[in-house]
Amino acid sequence: MSTALITGGSAGLGLEFARQLAADRHDLVLVARNAERLHQVAEELSSAYGVGVEVLPADLSVPEDRERVAQRLAVVGGRPGEGDLRPVGLLVNNAGFATGTTFATSRITTERRSIDVMVKAVVELTHAALGQMLERDRGAILNVGSVAALTAGGTYAAAKAYVRTFSESLASQLRGTNVTVTVLSPGFTHTEFHARAGVPESSIAPEWGWLDAGYVVRTALADVRRGVVLSTPSVRYKVASALLRVAPRWAVRAVGSYR
């Protein structure tokens, strides 16, 4: 996997993925809305690790922007019009956000955008990448889900439940090929994610419930290399996931969520 494309690659888990992959000598294609921030990150990583870093500013809630990213993912290499672009060997579908509100109090435009970014973009970009990966018979897709997929936590949990089921189904369909699919299901992780939603970390869980972003990404990448389908960092969240799978749904609903 010489080139990795990461959505939401300028902050949070996406930035940590970029740093660890660059440290392992992978070239990068970074996708995010903030072009200025992307260029800053690209310069930092290129200088620190000596890897090539492409910058692809895009808002994944916009169909035309998703199409531009999909076109980059479809590059096989060596075809007319592709120039010196190298094919993407690892796609990290990481972009996502929480609304920080209940569905009833949220703007419908925000709800639509969350589905566009966390569901439509995952499907469209995965489809674009699969074409060239299957043609070359090698590649990996890492979809960032969440333990929330097993809860009844609003639009965010519903989107992550889709990502989890989609990823597992696709992994089964690709059995017998050299293309793998992994879905990462982290629990609470120290990043900018909750602050951007306007929800203080201290109001969600005690400190012992939080994971380090570096640890989450190292675990995920190790699982990708081993072809693991379900990646759940830490014993505590493996246990929590197991309990959520067997608990009565009325009990899961009773726990609720701030989303």
Side-chain angles (χ1 to χ4, degrees), residues 110-231:
T110 302
E111 296 295 325
R112 287 176 182 148
R113 182 169 174 266
S114 70
I115 294 170
D116 287 342
V117 172
M118 293 187 285
V119 177
K120 286 185 179 180
V122 171
V123 171
E124 293 175 18
L125 301 188
T126 297
H127 192 271
L130 272 182
Q132 56 88 358
M133 289 180 179
L134 288 171
E135 183 174 337
R136 298 185 303 113
D137 195 30
R138 62 181 181 275
I141 296 167
L142 172 59
N143 293 327
V144 177
S146 174
V147 170
L150 301 171
T151 73
T155 304
Y156 180 83
K160 294 305 184 182
Y162 182 97
V163 169
R164 181 186 178 100
T165 301
F166 170 70
S167 301
E168 289 191 84
S169 173
L170 191 55
S172 296
Q173 293 175 33
L174 293 172
R175 192 176 295 122
T177 73
N178 288 314
V179 180
T180 64
V181 178
T182 299
V183 57
L184 170 63
S185 297
F188 297 124
T189 305
H190 286 303
T191 64
E192 304 166 23
F193 181 84
H194 294 92
R196 288 184 171 185
V199 182
E201 290 184 354
S202 58
S203 70
I204 303 171
E207 179 58 32
W208 58 263
W210 292 84
L211 302 177
D212 173 70
Y215 167 74
V216 169
V217 169
R218 281 192 300 275
T219 301
L221 292 177
D223 284 342
V224 169
R225 295 183 186 103
R226 294 189 296 120
V228 172
V229 176
L230 294 174
S231 175

Side-chain angles (χ1 to χ4, degrees), residues 70-107:
Q71 289 175 359
R72 177 61 184 90
L73 285 164
V75 168
V76 176
R79 287 181 175 172
E82 291 183 345
D84 296 326
L85 295 177
R86 301 178 67 183
V88 170
L90 170 64
L91 166 61
V92 182
N93 280 312
N94 164 77
F97 64 95
T99 64
T101 63
T102 65
F103 181 78
T105 59
S106 177
R107 294 176 180 270

